[in-house]
Amino acid sequence: MEHQLEELPQKAKEKQSENKRFFNKLKKKPPKNLDYVMQELHEDEFERTDCLTCANCCKTTGPLFTNADIERIAKHFRQKPSDFIARYLRLDEENDYVLQQVPCTFLGSDNYCSIYDVRPKACKEFPHTNRKKFHQISNLTLKNVAICPAAFNIVEEMKKKILF
């Protein structure tokens, strides 16, 4: 897995212009069955992919924390939301709450998340490849293929299935 993760940013960079063209076409005329195809590709990939062998998303990026996330996680820690924010979060340039640092504070050395049951919505949904109206999040997907081997594989399979 480590070798695959080392190669991933370069492989994603090599495919970037091809992927941009593909997503631009997809935005202009998304196939009627796109959500179904994406759900199937997502499920197939995650039958083969064990996130616990990777956790690159947790090691290299941080999720956005919604107010609902903050409330839920603070409650889990029996803290006031303001105390949780002060200890773990900061406002980014877009005024969104994000982690103060990466890798994620809640990621263990075994790649398990210590707040998995109450984790942020962005973490639950990552890499967002089974999301409805998938064609609307192409910019996010282009970033995620450089972080997540599963997202990379899903996009490559998608290009074959949708005949790019």
Side-chain angles (χ1 to χ4, degrees), residues 49-66:
T49 300
D50 178 7
C51 293
L52 292 174
T53 63
C54 178
N56 199 43
C57 51
C58 307
K59 293 172 184 173
T60 61
T61 61
L64 297 180
F65 285 74
T66 65

Side-chain angles (χ1 to χ4, degrees), residues 79-120:
Q79 289 180 318
K80 293 179 185 172
S82 59
D83 293 338
F84 176 78
I85 290 168
R87 182 162 182 192
Y88 297 106
L89 305 180
R90 66 176 175 81
L91 284 172
D92 70 4
E93 50 283 339
E94 293 167 8
N95 236 19
D96 292 317
Y97 281 111
V98 296
L99 291 168
Q100 290 178 7
Q101 62 187 35
V102 289
C104 179
T105 307
F106 307 111
L107 181 67
S109 58
D110 57 359
N111 286 346
Y112 277 86
C113 173
S114 65
I115 62 166
Y116 188 80
D117 291 336
V118 294
R119 70 196 183 278

